[in-house]
Amino acid sequence: MEALRSGDEDAFRELFQRKSGLMKRIARGFVASDAVAEEIVQETWLAVVNGIDRFESRSSLNTWISSILINQARKHGVRERRSTPFGGLGSHTGDGPSVDADQFEKEGDAWPGHWAMGPRPWHSPERRLLSLEAREHLRHALGQLPERQRQVVGLRDVEGCSAEEVCSLLDLSEENQRVLLHRGRSRLRASLDRYLAEEAA
Amino acid sequence: MTAPREHVEEISCQEFVELVTDYFEGALGPRTQNRVEEHLVMCHYCETYAEQIRATMRALRALDDEPPAGEPSPAILAALRRRREDSR
Ligand SMILES: [Zn+2]
């Protein structure tokens, strides 16, 4: 903190290296490209260095940096949506069921609402899901989620933030946070399910 | 009289897959929580489904290892330099 105020470059580089990866992933939840996310991280650090005198130790340095980051990311997110046709629809899609209705028995069958065949079993998922290819697939699938789901799943499941932290960072109610987490996780499970079935075929 | 009613209150698999996150988050009311737990004991399919959601979460956690984002920009380094000069 003092090092930041006095402009100590070595101390700054250390902080930059330690925090930028995480910051970039958070930014990535708001915008569609890696390059823009990197730009947001740089802008955030510039604002941190220039604004450090306004920082009051009432909040933690982490929280202060995160709030600047999310502000910058929001500004970019808004700009990006304006420039991408149909982009604004992203946050309204993905409200379907977690598992397709045709996977369950119908009204009039012996057990309506119960699995017809059951979920496809995943064989040795721990090994297969950690392969480079599976991780690329999952990263891509995460990027395809509607924006709010991507942000919540990214912060909760990739970064390991708590529900409370995510609610306050993204200004969400507890219930909305859970709904977004649920939709995102359900869709990613379905995506991994398809990936594992294709890979085995 | 009570037996058929309890039967009606059992949750279905189709309901379970929509409750699984609230269940993991500890956000269900006690009655629903009980029904979910009873269902999981009886239903091998939903147990498998819940385990797949957990495997998905573990796979997501494993994405958390990207390399940090490059170097501080010239503008940041210049701002640091100004701070050093000011604090002298
Ligand atoms: Zn079931």
Side-chain angles (χ1 to χ4, degrees), chain A residues 25 42 139 158 182 189, chain B residues 21 52 61 64 66 71:
Chain A
R25 283 188 299 274
Q42 298 280 357
R139 215 185 287 281
V158 183
H182 177 70
R189 188 214 67 93
Chain B
T21 304
Q52 291 180 355
R61 199 75 185 89
D64 181 23
E66 280 170 40
E71 288 280 298

Side-chain angles (χ1 to χ4, degrees), chain A residues 30-78:
Chain A
F30 289 79
V31 297
S33 84
D34 247 30
V36 177
E38 244 164 71
E39 205 181 302
I40 290 168
V41 172
Q42 298 280 357
E43 283 171 6
T44 301
W45 281 119
L46 186 59
V48 166
V49 172
N50 284 331
I52 192 72
D53 295 328
R54 283 194 302 278
F55 169 70
E56 293 161 25
S57 338
R58 270 181 300 143
S59 64
S60 81
L61 186 62
N62 268 339
T63 309
W64 183 63
I65 294 178
S66 298
S67 66
I68 295 178
L69 176 76
I70 285 175
N71 266 329
Q72 300 283 359
R74 284 219 171 101
K75 275 189 245 160
H76 275 273
V78 170

Side-chain angles (χ1 to χ4, degrees), chain B residues 4-47:
Chain B
R5 187 155 174 199
E6 274 168 26
H7 180 77
V8 169
E9 286 188 356
E10 272 178 22
I11 62 161
S12 69
C13 303
Q14 205 163 3
E15 288 163 332
F16 174 82
V17 301
E18 303 302 346
L19 292 173
V20 63
T21 304
D22 283 0
Y23 174 60
F24 286 164
E25 296 281 289
L28 294 175
R31 281 157 61 87
T32 314
Q33 163 115 1
N34 280 341
R35 274 179 230 135
V36 164
E37 279 165 357
E38 281 162 19
H39 186 87
L40 270 179
V41 170
M42 297 185 315
C43 182
H44 180 64
Y45 287 152
C46 284
E47 195 193 353

